[in-house]
Amino acid sequence: QVQLVESGGDLVQPGGSLRLSCAASRSNLTFYVMGWYRQVPGKQRELVATMSSGGTTTYEDSAKGRITISRSIAKNTVFLQMNNLEPKDTARYYCKAVNGVEYWGQGTQVTVSS
C-alpha cells in the first residue's frame, strides 16, 4: 500500500507560480504511474498531468506550457510546477499513484485570485 501526502497549495495572485509536492510512503516511484488531478466542487475530478514509470509525461491541453510534472526518485516525491496561474486553475489538487491498484492523496487547495 502507498500513502500519498500532497503539500504546497496556497492562495496566489493571477500570473503567480506554485510548486506542489506529493510525498509517497513507498520507495521507487519508477514502479508507479503518477498523476496530478484537480477538482472543483460540483465537478468531476480532471486530469492535469501524468508521468509513466519510465518518465514519459502527458498534460491536459490547458496545462501545456504552464505546468510541469517531475519526480525525485531519491525523495519519493512527485512535483507539479505551475506557472502563470489563472483563476480557472483554482481547485483542489490530488496526487495519484497506480501500480495495478490506485492510490490517492487527500489533496491540497490551490486558489488563484487577486
Side-chain angles (χ1 to χ4, degrees), residues 41-53:
K43 293 189 177 182
Q44 287 189 331
R45 196 169 294 186
E46 63 177 17
L47 174 68
V48 178
T50 66
M51 176 175 281
S52 73
S53 56

Side-chain angles (χ1 to χ4, degrees), residues 39-99:
Q39 188 172 25
V40 296
K43 293 189 177 182
Q44 287 189 331
R45 196 169 294 186
E46 63 177 17
L47 174 68
V48 178
T50 66
M51 176 175 281
S52 73
S53 56
T56 301
T57 58
T58 63
Y59 297 93
E60 183 267 334
D61 283 346
S62 71
K64 292 177 180 177
R66 301 189 300 121
I67 294 177
T68 303
I69 186 171
S70 62
R71 68 186 178 190
S72 169
I73 295 172
K75 295 182 179 180
N76 302 326
T77 302
V78 176
F79 304 99
L80 192 71
Q81 177 68 43
M82 303 190 293
N83 301 322
N84 195 22
L85 284 162
E86 304 171 1
K88 67 179 181 180
D89 295 314
T90 295
R92 191 163 187 85
Y93 284 71
Y94 296 87
C95 177
K96 183 176 83 169
V98 182
N99 183 12

Side-chain angles (χ1 to χ4, degrees), residues 22 30 34 61:
C22 170
T30 58
M34 303 298 298
D61 283 346

Side-chain angles (χ1 to χ4, degrees), residues 27-44:
S27 62
N28 206 341
L29 293 179
T30 58
F31 289 157
Y32 297 86
V33 176
M34 303 298 298
W36 282 98
Y37 293 72
R38 62 188 178 191
Q39 188 172 25
V40 296
K43 293 189 177 182
Q44 287 189 331

